[in-house]
Every structure is written in structure tokens, then in C-alpha cells.
Amino acid sequence: MGKHIITGEQFAVFRGFLREEEREQGTIEKYLRDIRIFAVWAGEREINKELTASWKEHLKAEGFRPETINGKLSAVNKFFRFLGWEDCRVKYLKIQRRLFRRADKNLTKEEYKRLVETADSSGKERLALLMEVICATGIRVSEVKHITAEAVQAGRAEVSLKGKIRIILLPGKLCRKLQKYARRQKIVSGEIFLTRNGKGLTRRQIWAEMKGLCNKAGVAPSKVFPHNLRHLFARTFYRIYKDVAKLADVLGHSSIETTRVYLISTGMEHARQLERLGLIF
């Protein structure tokens, strides 16, 4: 058996493989970034299970959170499986299921409202409307490109991912706001959210624009990122309808367990729930 050595050609072929799997662009870039980090750390050493396990210990010693370490291991393990290097794969860290989420990550409805109002008052109409679209529908930031003039006219957007087609319903009030915005921007077909050059907004651009609102809106930067709007949608939907199976369908999750992660309450909320049990006299 020859030595296992990572090459640039392998990266290129693996990127093509991930695209064939219809992985989101952000996921592809994260996988490749984590694999490169591993490759740089490994240097010229031969890749084997012992080396990969040593990298796992290195990440732990560097203070990375278990979830982050498992994310990086997921990337290299998938890469090794693609290459047929099954003997190089390692086990993930065991993580106890979280009972509540960190308060510094929990975006409230009031904070979301301040972000939208701040964007509006700062003349950033596109950003304000974009945040409302994500938070009112629960779509992924990578799915924003499917919000087109045609979708707004129909009141629904069709998303195709990994061979599955998902329908995203657009509330009437949201459609009216999008139609007015499209008319002002002279958009009659195609994507609604475009740059000045007529190109679709990237995940990085949306992330950066949202971060730019933090100080003026008085919202902690740790709470402000596109995916957190999806989390707020999920919690709000479940609070009203109490239907986790329906919510999983709306979010496009193949597993209800994934949806449950979105519904974890904060430590403060969990403490209030314990108080309401009335078991302390």
C-alpha cells in the first residue's frame, strides 16, 4: 500500500464531487478550508489514523469547542472516504445533548425588530427587506437567490436541493413589500436581491451588512448573523403551532432531530420552566 499524501489535484476533484452532491457553496468552502488546515498541520508527514487522531487532540488542546472539532473531523473524514482512505478516519467527540442555548447567541424578536428598523432608518431598504424575508419564511441564506420576481408573483418559491424540491410559501404582506421594492428597482424578472452590478448577494455580503447594524441597533454582534434569523423563525413558529414535524418540513430538514436543535431554549428560560414546576416549598 502506498503512502497517503494530500495533493492539490485531490482538492480539485473533491470540490467537483461535492458539487455533484449539490452541496451548498458555503458547505463546500468550509470542507475545503478545514481540510487545508489539516494538510498544513500535517506537513510532509504521512497521513494515517494515528496522525488524524493526533490532530483531534491538537484541536482540543487549542481550546476549540467540541462541536467545532467534530465539524472539522467531518470534513477530513468525508475527504478520506472519498479517497478510499478508510484507515485514516477517526471517531468524533461524544457530545451530551444541550438542554439550553447560550444567551449571547439568542436573538429575540425585539432585537430583530430593532435591526430591521435600523436598516430602514439608515437607508438600507434592501437589507431590511432581506432580513424580513429570511425571518418570515425561515429560508436558508443560500436560498435567497430563489426569491425572484416570478416567485413573488406566484406567492411561492421553489427550491431544488440534493434531488429534493421544496416549496417556500411567501406571506401576502411580504409579497406586497417585495413587489413595491422590485418596481422601484425596475426588476421585472429574476432575482430580487441584487448588487449594484446586477449580481446576486453572497452569504459573506449579507453577513457583513448585518454586522454593520449592530452598534446602532444596540444588538450584540454575537447574535447577528443570517442563520440566526432562521432560528428565530423556528422558535416563533413552534411557540404558536407546537408542531415540530410541520416545522421540519417548512425548514427543509430531513430529520426532526435537526429541527429540535433550533428549539433549544436559553438557560434563563429553562430556569423559569423549573420554577413553574412548583416543587420547592
Side-chain angles (χ1 to χ4, degrees):
M1 182 182 295
K3 289 185 176 181
H4 294 324
I5 303 295
I6 296 177
T7 67
E9 183 180 357
Q10 292 167 341
F11 274 101
V13 178
F14 185 58
R15 181 192 291 272
F17 167 74
L18 292 174
R19 284 175 175 165
E20 287 179 2
E21 283 198 326
E22 297 185 31
R23 296 279 180 171
E24 295 181 19
Q25 187 59 33
T27 301
I28 293 174
E29 295 305 323
K30 182 188 181 304
Y31 275 179
L32 295 178
R33 184 168 59 250
D34 288 339
I35 296 166
R36 287 193 186 96
I37 291 172
F38 170 74
V40 170
W41 176 85
E44 297 182 358
R45 289 176 289 182
E46 179 185 359
I47 309 301
N48 53 39
K49 189 181 188 73
E50 290 70 28
L51 187 66
T52 311
S54 294
W55 186 56
K56 179 169 68 171
E57 293 304 316
H58 165 75
L59 294 174
K60 288 167 63 177
E62 288 292 308
F64 286 98
R65 295 173 58 226
E67 295 88 351
T68 302
I69 295 174
N70 281 349
K72 294 181 182 299
L73 291 177
S74 177
V76 296
N77 276 344
K78 188 174 184 66
F79 183 56
F80 293 157
R81 171 157 287 172
F82 169 74
L83 295 174
W85 298 357
E86 293 288 343
D87 55 322
C88 296
R89 290 163 52 86
V90 296
K91 293 182 179 180
Y92 299 104
L93 296 176
K94 292 184 178 180
I95 303 174
Q96 183 179 358
R97 183 172 174 176
R98 288 182 299 165
L99 291 176
F100 47 82
R101 71 168 57 241
R102 291 164 49 188
D104 64 337
K105 293 286 187 180
N106 197 63
L107 182 70
T108 67
K109 189 174 181 179
E110 291 70 26
E111 290 170 329
Y112 156 65
K113 184 180 179 182
R114 291 210 303 272
L115 289 169
V116 173
E117 290 175 344
T118 299
D120 260 330
S121 64
S122 302
K124 299 179 179 179
E125 180 187 15
R126 182 186 66 189
L127 178 58
L129 187 54
L130 176 57
M131 288 191 293
E132 285 188 293
V133 166
I134 296 175
C135 202
T137 62
I139 64 172
R140 301 176 176 90
V141 67
S142 61
E143 296 170 339
V144 167
K145 62 186 178 184
H146 295 287
I147 305 300
T148 62
E150 292 81 2
V152 172
Q153 185 66 32
R156 51 195 279 164
E158 193 172 284
V159 175
S160 177
L161 182 64
K162 299 179 184 178
K164 296 185 295 184
I165 295 178
R166 181 163 67 95
I167 301 300
I168 298 171
L169 298 180
L170 306 176
K173 185 176 181 180
L174 180 63
C175 284
R176 291 190 289 274
K177 295 185 74 169
L178 285 166
Q179 287 170 339
K180 290 179 182 179
Y181 175 79
R183 282 196 294 269
R184 286 195 293 272
Q185 299 300 318
K186 297 181 172 54
I187 298 173
V188 294
S189 67
E191 293 183 49
I192 294 288
F193 297 104
L194 301 169
T195 65
R196 292 179 180 177
N197 297 325
K199 296 182 179 180
L201 290 171
T202 66
R203 180 194 305 264
R204 188 177 297 275
Q205 286 173 311
I206 297 171
W207 183 89
E209 288 189 25
M210 285 183 63
K211 289 292 185 183
L213 300 172
C214 295
N215 287 339
K216 193 171 181 180
V219 182
S222 61
K223 298 182 179 185
V224 182
F225 50 94
H227 198 68
N228 227 10
L229 298 175
R230 184 166 151 89
H231 276 269
L232 177 56
F233 167 85
R235 295 196 308 275
T236 305
F237 184 99
Y238 184 75
R239 191 175 297 125
I240 294 173
Y241 299 109
K242 305 295 184 185
D243 189 337
V244 69
K246 177 66 178 294
L247 177 58
D249 289 339
V250 172
L251 293 174
H253 289 160
S254 56
S255 169
I256 287 181
E257 286 307 307
T258 302
T259 310
R260 291 187 192 282
V261 174
Y262 284 56
L263 304 179
I264 298 173
S265 62
T266 64
M268 187 175 296
E269 289 172 320
H270 184 64
R272 284 199 293 266
Q273 291 167 350
L274 295 179
E275 292 285 351
R276 288 200 294 271
L277 294 179
L279 296 175
I280 301 173
F281 304 104

